[in-house]
Amino acid sequence: MTPPPKRSASDFVFGKVIGEGSFSTVYLAKDIHTSKEFAIKVLEKRHIIREKKMEYVSREKKVLQILSPCASHFVRLYCTFQDPERLYFVLTYAKNGELLPHLNKNGSFTIECTKYYTAELVLALEVLNSKGIIHRDLKPENILFDENWHILITDFGSAKILSSNEDRNEDENNKRRKNSFVGTAQYVSPELLKDTEAVFASDLWALGCIIYQMVSGLPPFRAGSEYLIFQKILKLEYEFPEGFDQTAKDLVEKLLVLSPSKRLGATDSQPYTSIRQHEFFSDIDWDNIGPPPRII
Ligand code: ATP
């Protein structure tokens, strides 16, 4: 049940700390009226201002508000409130945590599992595209699992919202401060490392990296420093380990393409039909992808 607006911290019983970010602490909390569990992200205003992260926080809120009505594969923002010191975001509690530790624990995912979660990611990216949102920092740490093991994409602080006034202002800023890197080294697309702007296909690059990682256990571009990782990305320098599933390999190769417009799906008139039609998904029913397979 959705809590009515104008809640405050006293409407929740705060429990354990689920996680900590650079600017936030996330608590498990229970709505005292409904007993429903939520993840509440608490941000110290002083810290946000000191670190000049106001834009980051307001962008995250704005994207979550855009996505919340179509909440299927995204963490939903139920409400926000504040007190003199803190901001509070009341979010869906992703009970099964981040994808990354599950992947690390298992070493890699089965092809069945990889296919299922790639399909959920494609459905989520279709929604983002339809809303004019580029995530720009898609990675296994930002993909959470709900209680039924469906994905919930989170962390929209680096996202770009197209065709809004805010975005136009941001574009102006970007023109002034070129080469400002957003995202995470291993999953950042080549265009974000150059002077070019992020496009929807920047998230398709990250998708290629994540598929590679689900199949093999490690991201495709690895090196001892961010600088060396960037060099590898710009040269498309990566290899497939022996035994890498052939159809998954073909899909990854079609996504990890230096030119964003040449990535599979990038020029689809109906995004992402051409990804849906790839052989990797031949046994996926896109109208009903069914329940998730067990993660083993
Ligand atoms: P940073 O801000 O440094 O990039 P972050 O984006 O991970 O870090 P938060 O969004 O505050 O920071 O999340 C902190 C931790 O809490 C993360 O490890 C994340 O897995 C966990 N977490 C965040 N949101 C939820 C949620 N809705 N349900 C369950 N766990 C969550």
Side-chain angles (χ1 to χ4, degrees):
M1 239 193 293
T2 312
K6 290 293 150 227
R7 292 259 147 148
S8 72
S10 60
D11 289 301
F12 298 90
V13 178
F14 283 72
K16 66 173 181 182
V17 172
I18 309 171
E20 289 194 80
S22 322
F23 315 102
S24 46
T25 304
V26 181
Y27 295 88
L28 176 60
K30 202 177 241 185
D31 184 318
I32 57 167
H33 311 281
T34 64
S35 293
K36 189 174 158 70
E37 286 183 318
F38 293 94
I40 303 192
K41 183 163 169 165
V42 183
L43 303 111
E44 294 277 342
K45 289 181 186 174
R46 262 195 337 201
H47 189 43
I48 302 293
I49 293 164
R50 194 171 53 230
E51 299 294 324
K52 301 191 172 56
K53 290 289 165 185
M54 289 88 80
E55 196 190 320
Y56 182 94
V57 174
S58 69
R59 183 145 4 106
E60 174 154 48
K61 180 176 169 184
K62 189 166 172 192
V63 173
L64 286 168
Q65 282 172 333
I66 295 171
L67 292 174
S68 285
C70 40
S72 261
H73 297 303
F74 306 98
V75 160
R76 179 170 172 187
L77 180 66
Y78 288 87
C79 62
T80 58
F81 48 85
Q82 55 179 299
D83 59 28
E85 284 88 37
R86 296 171 208 91
L87 302 172
Y88 298 82
F89 287 13
V90 180
L91 303 161
T92 322
Y93 172 42
K95 207 169 190 166
N96 285 307
E98 297 174 6
L99 186 150
L100 188 66
H102 295 290
L103 187 54
N104 289 343
K105 196 176 78 199
N106 290 287
S108 61
F109 283 173
T110 60
I111 284 301
E112 187 199 9
C113 206
T114 303
K115 192 181 304 184
Y116 186 87
Y117 287 118
T118 306
E120 285 206 331
L121 284 168
V122 171
L123 292 172
L125 289 177
E126 289 178 357
V127 173
L128 287 185
N129 186 302
S130 73
K131 302 283 175 194
I133 295 163
I134 308 169
H135 188 291
R136 294 201 291 191
D137 195 15
L138 199 60
K139 56 180 174 178
E141 294 95 316
N142 289 339
I143 300 167
L144 307 178
F145 287 122
D146 72 10
E147 58 190 345
N148 298 315
W149 294 96
H150 289 290
I151 64 158
L152 296 172
I153 296 179
T154 187
D155 202 357
F156 288 94
S158 304
K160 186 179 168 104
I161 311 168
L162 295 179
S163 57
S164 67
N165 287 332
E166 184 190 308
D167 185 59
R168 275 182 220 119
N169 292 339
E170 197 203 328
D171 278 349
E172 287 308 307
N173 287 336
N174 280 346
K175 278 177 201 145
R176 272 180 254 124
R177 89 185 122 79
K178 286 192 166 182
N179 261 340
S180 60
F181 160 64
V182 297
T184 303
Q186 275 100 338
Y187 308 90
V188 74
S189 57
E191 63 273 17
L192 286 181
L193 293 175
K194 298 184 192 160
D195 284 347
T196 359
E197 281 170 29
V199 286
F200 290 115
S202 308
D203 287 343
L204 296 177
W205 174 278
L207 178 68
C209 294
I210 295 166
I211 299 170
Y212 180 106
Q213 188 167 356
M214 288 196 281
V215 176
S216 73
L218 291 170
F221 303 99
R222 308 183 297 273
S225 70
E226 283 199 341
Y227 175 79
L228 292 173
I229 293 172
F230 297 159
Q231 297 309 307
K232 287 192 168 180
I233 291 170
L234 292 168
K235 287 189 267 178
L236 197 63
E237 199 181 302
Y238 75 103
E239 282 165 10
F240 290 96
E242 222 170 284
F244 198 103
D245 180 87
Q246 281 301 317
T247 40
K249 178 175 181 230
D250 186 78
L251 177 58
V252 169
E253 283 175 335
K254 289 186 164 114
L255 292 168
L256 296 184
V257 175
L258 290 176
S259 165
S261 62
K262 301 224 166 72
R263 285 172 209 150
L264 189 67
T267 54
D268 287 353
S269 51
Q270 175 65 46
Y272 287 114
T273 331
S274 57
I275 300 180
R276 286 184 178 214
Q277 286 165 353
H278 189 275
E279 197 195 340
F280 186 57
F281 301 112
S282 56
D283 54 357
I284 288 275
D285 173 1
W286 286 98
D287 293 326
N288 175 18
I289 65 167
R294 269 176 65 94
I295 293 189
I296 38 165

